[in-house]
Amino acid sequence: MTTEIETRERLAPGPASSSVLWEYAPSLESTDHVKIASRYNLFIGGKFVEPHSKKWFPTLNPATEEHLSEIAEADAEDVDRAVKEARRAYDKVWRKISASERAKYIFRIARLIQEKSRALAVAETMNGGKPIKESRDVDIPLAAAHFFYYAGWADKLEYAFPNRNVAPVGVAGQIIPWNFPLLMAAWKIAPALAAGNTVVLKPAETTSITALMLADILQEADLPPGVVNILTGAGATGAALVSHDGVDKIAFTGSTDVGKRIQRALAGTEKKLTLELGGKAPNIVFEDAPIDQAVEGIINGIYFNQGHVCCAGSRLFVQESVAEPVIRKLRDRIGTLRVGNPLDKNTDVGAINSRAQLEKIQELVASGVEEGAEMFQSSCSLPARGYWFAPTFFTGVSQSSRISQEEIFGPVLSVLTFRTPEEALEKANNTPYGLSAGIWTEKGSRILKMASKLRAGVIWANTYNKFDPTSPFGGYKESGFGREGGRHGLGPYVVLS
């Protein structure tokens, strides 16, 4: 329920304009049904076990800085134990059971995620800071959908790879980031299991809770012990997993710098590797685009997810003839975004995941101001506690500026202009990354031409940030290699002959 409370001037700098402001009554998602344990151990061999290190670290709610739980810190010995359990399960159980039986387990996991989706969504929001409507309506349903999708492939691998002999890789080590904790786990675990592999998963240290809740689901699904093992910890835990001789394949989603280190560490080994790394996605708006629809796509591409997706459309290219109305409408729309309690269903922009990430955003935004770009920032009030950053965009951005070249991973947009499609292509491709891109135009021929020349793995046309388990996802250049999702997502987990 809403009530109109005032009309006033709210945009600066630039020509004065007015907009209707609304006051929204709080609509908080209940947390009574969510059981977050005071301490979580490691999940090895189908059981929760204490870490060899005898160390636990705190995990916080980034919106309030409140302590949520203690998370076990796995050391090299814990990694060794988990890999050995995964190898035992692979050799003695998982590779021997029929593909149709594997499919039943994966399907059962999907159904349990659905059944527990409300609690999982709340836990994800409390631990990660993203708005509940993102966790509830996007992340958790997509996680279940990926398990459903790959359950269907488990007994059809001969159709995925026709005229080839298909065998699993073996033990897969998987390392996932903090921005989509459960969805990234589903992206990696589901195809690995469908192809007949076993898994050792390491979630991000700041968002481990839903991965450990998934461990409860695996137990409830009666997944054979050791088929999936979950180790929590920081960079040292991930490094031990990457370097372990018993791991046959590494899948990593995270920063480009860490991805490069992993690639160097595996050079000369026989381990398979897929990397899904950073991005600096261009979102290109042509003069014939549906402007209002494009503005909503821009907002969805960078602000609703706090810019916390590697494919966020953080570089906006607008054709000069429509730059003024697009920027005006964008400024108006940003002014309506609601920033606040992520558990409030009215919230559009939640909290930044950690203090370290917030400081990185602040440092890059300061560099944009120092380099002469003009900054517009929402006039919203930010909560006193927690990690917050107001929706922001820059105009007058140069191609060489840090905010145009470096991944910010926050609700910050750089706006640049172009005159011709050729100029848009040259500017869009002028970055080390190549993960995703967006094109806004009424001309289908222009979409096809631009898509064929953009160096990006995923390209959306007249929409943005739409995901489906049947569609492959991955990048070019420093955005990594390999694909996740779709039939292509099975490829890294099989050996073909």
Side-chain angles (χ1 to χ4, degrees), residues 209-392:
I209 287 179
T210 48
L212 294 164
M213 293 173 73
L214 177 61
D216 286 324
I217 287 173
L218 301 179
Q219 285 183 324
E220 192 171 341
D222 290 327
L223 189 71
V227 171
V228 174
N229 306 272
I230 300 176
L231 301 178
T232 48
T237 307
L241 181 59
V242 167
S243 62
H244 197 288
D245 291 339
V247 173
D248 301 301
K249 186 261 187 302
I250 293 291
F252 172 79
T253 298
S255 73
T256 296
D257 287 343
V258 175
K260 288 179 178 179
R261 292 202 296 270
I262 292 173
Q263 191 172 13
R264 286 193 293 267
L266 298 189
T269 73
E270 295 182 354
K271 293 179 184 178
K272 297 187 72 170
L273 175 64
T274 50
L275 298 173
E276 197 259 283
L277 308 176
K280 195 68 180 173
N283 212 353
I284 305 169
V285 179
F286 286 93
E287 60 187 358
D288 65 334
I291 299 300
D292 290 337
Q293 180 181 333
V295 168
E296 285 305 306
I298 295 162
I299 294 293
N300 180 54
I302 187 69
Y303 296 116
F304 283 166
N305 49 62
Q306 294 107 284
H308 286 175
V309 292
C310 42
C311 57
S314 57
R315 291 185 300 149
L316 174 63
F317 294 94
V318 186
Q319 199 154 17
E320 281 189 1
S321 56
V322 292
E324 190 278 330
V326 169
I327 292 171
R328 184 184 71 249
K329 289 174 179 287
L330 181 62
R331 188 188 300 133
D332 288 347
R333 185 66 178 90
I334 286 177
T336 69
L337 295 178
R338 299 177 293 273
V339 182
N341 186 347
L343 286 171
D344 190 333
K345 302 180 189 73
N346 296 315
T347 294
D348 297 312
V349 181
I352 304 301
N353 177 256
S354 66
R355 183 179 299 279
Q357 186 60 34
L358 176 60
E359 290 172 351
K360 179 182 178 182
I361 296 168
Q362 292 170 334
E363 190 262 331
L364 283 167
V365 167
S367 77
V369 175
E370 292 169 6
E371 291 173 340
E374 184 176 356
M375 182 177 73
F376 174 82
Q377 205 162 48
S378 169
S379 60
C380 62
S381 58
L382 301 179
R385 289 182 60 82
Y387 312 129
W388 305 91
F389 199 85
T392 301

